[in-house]
Amino acid sequence: MGELGAFLKIHRVGFDKRDPRERVRDYNQYFGLQPDGELQRQGARCMDCGIPFCHEGCPLGNLIPEWNDLVYRGKWREASDQLHMTNNFPEFTGRICPAPCESACVLAINDDPVAIEQIEMAIAERAFAEGWVVPEPPPRRTGKTVAVVGSGPAGLAVAAELNRSGHVVTVYERDEAPGGLMRFGVPDAKLEKWIIDRRVAILAQEGIEFVYDTDVGRDVSAAELVERHDAIVVATGSRVSRDLAVPGRELRGVHVAMDYLYQRNRWVAAEEGRRFRPTPADREITAAGKRVIVIGGGDTGMDCISNAHREGASSVMMLDVYTALPPSGRDAHHPWPLPPKRTLTTYALDEGGKRRWGTEVTAFGGRDGDVSHVYARKVTGSSSRDLTPVPGSEFALEADIALIAIGFEGPERAGLLEQLDLELDHRSNIRTEMTYRTSTKGIYACGDARIGQSLIVTAIAEGRKCARIVNKDLGGSPMDADREMLALGAWSGEADRTLRHEAEAAGTVRAGEEFFTGPGARS
């Protein structure tokens, strides 16, 4: 794989990022690809590992060393075929996946990892530019119909796979356009929405029907869907935002982050002449000219910072309960090959704003019903689950708007889930016991609605694996064997003891537990 010894003499070159001072003036993608020649050099850095940990780091089991090598040798068409074999939407993951494959890259032990995500995006865009990505309707239809509720990455993936098997698929989406949080949570600076529309247009030409502005459980009952379809897949995501139960939460100007991000993405859609739902004037959330406090240090919080910069906030401060990272950027609780929970900087912090580590919010203060202060204290601990306050560390920050971005608590229960009478697990997600079959016959679940808040790459993998179960139950022909077998436990209901399975089952993994020992291998 790659050039023998190239990793010793070729240094990593990442995305070509626009100057932060320039890009905060618009909502265009803030990064671009390196020239083809440089991308081939980056592919050469892949070091022919005896055990390619990048395979296990990727929930999709992408054939990373293979397509790195193909790019190095200039065989872009073959690289595209390899990439699409395991990933329905590499143009999405090549932009907004946090790249756990790179964290697991063997080079990352003591050097910069291979630029896997950039190479993935380059392959995907080359495939579109060359006309290699075309509609491929199934050669026959089974006569079975499937409803997919939700058009995020899991919903789109399960729909694509089931349609490919010949089933008639209808995707129901309560919002005005497809993509889920890819569209309404992720800023255009990271993922311009025409990229979603380009892929959905292909899926529609392949025979998938998309029904928008339809909230199943309200606009149409779950019973009606059961009557219309042979199977229903719930892929509604984990959309209940985790809130802060502290004094002053009711003050105007304190919002959950997703409400703000939805409005900003719709504002951009309106500016670009795309379809959007207008926000009532009395419900508008804006950071323009305001002192912004973002509570929570994950991707959602960073996306809030990015939007606040582009609105022209007077100041932006992020409060994160995690302790400050060491200069190496990797904390002791997440050693190689596990992906880090935090990084030394991000695209949003590069654009401005400050981050305060080890900080917990205790209350909001206000004047005349509007938030004016955020009260906080220093804490120690490895995560939000084991915080210890530092005595005498209390302080206050002035604020005009506070955005709560501390995660999600599971799928919405009212409407669809209640009408289908689905059982939930101890984390308030839809219970499936690893088989994607819910407690109600003929109803399936995948993605964040099943496993909780996760990554886009995990959501796509969830959709692909769920499609296998639905197809099997509908009597369809067996699907092609591909790298979903890396997570066979979700297919058979039996634990497969891979790193990914252990992470999903236990919620955490320690270095030293069993690691994957090669493509397709079993312990």
Side-chain angles (χ1 to χ4, degrees):
M1 296 297 168
E3 179 184 326
L4 185 64
F7 65 92
L8 296 172
K9 56 187 178 183
I10 299 176
H11 297 291
R12 175 186 168 104
V13 177
F15 286 105
D16 183 15
K17 298 179 182 178
R18 298 165 59 204
D19 188 318
R21 293 168 296 182
E22 169 199 328
R23 68 195 196 212
V24 295
R25 300 172 185 166
D26 60 51
Y27 289 82
N28 300 328
Q29 185 172 291
Y30 77 89
F31 57 93
L33 295 169
Q34 297 292 341
D36 285 357
E38 183 59 58
L39 291 168
Q40 289 180 251
R41 281 167 46 83
Q42 293 303 303
R45 295 185 73 232
C46 197
M47 53 193 292
D48 195 14
C49 304
I51 299 175
F53 281 82
C54 55
H55 278 305
E56 182 55 29
C58 176
L60 281 165
N62 279 338
L63 311 178
I64 295 164
E66 284 87 340
W67 40 258
N68 279 341
D69 181 60
L70 289 166
V71 167
Y72 161 62
R73 293 191 282 133
K75 296 187 175 183
W76 290 91
R77 178 61 186 265
E78 292 87 342
S80 174
D81 292 341
Q82 290 275 24
L83 179 54
H84 281 91
M85 184 185 300
T86 57
N87 187 351
N88 300 74
F89 315 122
E91 69 274 24
F92 302 160
T93 52
R95 287 174 166 84
I96 61 175
C97 179
C101 54
E102 293 189 10
S103 300
C105 176
V106 174
L107 264 179
I109 295 174
N110 61 355
D111 198 355
D112 293 327
V114 175
I116 300 169
E117 185 174 27
Q118 181 178 194
I119 294 172
E120 178 181 35
M121 175 179 160
I123 296 170
E125 290 309 311
R126 181 68 170 265
F128 276 103
E130 296 286 351
W132 302 332
V133 181
V134 295
E136 298 180 10
R140 62 178 181 82
R141 289 293 179 182
T142 64
K144 301 290 187 179
T145 66
V146 181
V148 176
V149 185
S151 68
L156 292 177
V158 71
E161 291 294 299
L162 287 171
N163 181 69
R164 185 173 296 169
S165 295
H167 307 300
V168 177
V169 181
T170 303
V171 177
Y172 295 87
E173 171 56 56
R174 71 179 180 183
D175 288 320
E176 66 270 30
L181 294 190
M182 290 192 298
R183 180 177 296 272
F184 295 105
V186 177
D188 283 64
K190 288 167 63 177
L191 178 65
E192 295 181 11
K193 303 311 181 279
W194 65 266
I195 297 165
I196 301 174
D197 296 334
R198 176 179 63 180
R199 175 62 72 171
V200 170
I202 291 174
L203 296 177
Q205 291 175 63
E206 291 177 338
I208 299 174
E209 181 184 4
F210 290 88
V211 179
Y212 303 121
D213 292 313
T214 300
D215 191 352
V216 178
R218 293 183 175 86
D219 299 322
V220 57
S221 70
E224 289 179 78
L225 246 62
V226 171
E227 181 69 23
R228 294 178 194 171
H229 301 282
D230 297 297
I232 297 174
V233 179
V234 180
T236 53
S238 179
R239 300 297 290 273
V240 178
S241 296
R242 183 172 290 115
D243 215 330
L244 269 180
V246 299
R249 171 61 183 88
E250 74 286 352
L251 291 167
R252 290 187 296 270
V254 181
H255 308 277
V256 292
M258 205 49 62
D259 289 347
Y260 174 64
L261 293 176
Y262 250 79
Q263 288 194 18
R264 295 315 304 161
N265 278 293
R266 282 175 167 152
W267 183 89
V268 174
E271 289 292 299
E272 295 183 352
R274 292 185 275 113
R275 190 175 178 217
F276 73 100
R277 284 184 193 165
T279 300
D282 61 345
R283 296 178 58 188
E284 183 182 10
I285 305 171
T286 179
K290 295 181 179 179
R291 297 164 295 185
V292 180
I293 302 293
V294 176
I295 303 162
D299 286 343
T300 301
M302 295 300 171
D303 292 343
C304 289
I305 291 177
S306 169
N307 274 290
H309 290 325
R310 284 161 176 76
E311 276 201 275
S314 63
S315 66
V316 182
M317 172 71 73
M318 169 173 277
L319 305 181
D320 192 348
V321 297
Y322 278 74
T323 56
L325 293 173
S328 67
R330 189 180 279 275
D331 72 274
H333 298 284
H334 299 89
W336 180 90
L338 301 180
K341 293 293 185 181
R342 298 291 187 268
T343 54
L344 288 173
T345 189
T346 68
Y347 85 103
L349 291 173
D350 287 344
E351 295 169 352
K354 297 180 180 179
R355 171 171 53 185
R356 294 189 66 148
W357 297 102
T359 302
E360 180 184 37
V361 172
T362 58
F364 299 103
R367 300 189 188 96
D368 301 322
D370 296 310
V371 66
S372 61
H373 291 81
V374 174
Y375 297 100
R377 62 188 176 191
K378 300 295 292 181
V379 291
T380 60
S382 60
S383 73
S384 58
R385 297 182 181 88
D386 63 349
L387 300 179
T388 302
V390 176
S393 65
E394 296 80 6
F395 63 93
L397 296 170
E398 293 183 325
D400 301 308
I401 181 173
L403 302 173
I404 302 169
I406 57 175
F408 300 86
E409 295 185 331
E412 297 176 2
R413 286 65 147 179
L416 177 64
L417 269 60
E418 288 181 349
Q419 291 179 20
L420 291 174
D421 194 27
L422 301 183
E423 292 182 11
L424 305 180
D425 62 20
H426 68 285
R427 298 174 59 217
S428 299
N429 300 317
I430 299 173
R431 183 181 179 186
T432 61
E433 297 184 345
M434 301 192 340
T435 63
Y436 298 96
R437 301 180 183 95
T438 71
S439 55
T440 301
K441 185 177 176 57
I443 311 298
Y444 306 81
C446 64
D448 289 4
R450 186 185 84 92
I451 62 174
Q453 179 187 6
S454 190
L455 312 177
I456 179 175
V457 65
T458 305
I460 295 172
E462 280 277 305
R464 288 171 67 91
K465 289 181 283 188
C466 180
R468 287 180 142 61
I469 302 295
V470 179
N471 178 63
K472 179 173 181 280
D473 289 355
L474 292 178
S477 301
M479 292 184 177
D480 293 338
D482 61 22
R483 294 306 171 99
E484 266 90 79
M485 301 306 287
L486 287 172
L488 192 62
W491 168 253
S492 65
E494 298 176 357
D496 63 4
R497 302 191 67 76
T498 63
L499 179 62
R500 174 59 51 184
H501 167 77
E502 297 294 338
E504 291 182 354
T508 183
V509 171
R510 299 184 304 275
E513 293 180 347
E514 279 194 76
F515 281 81
F516 184 58
T517 56
R522 304 274 293 181
S523 57

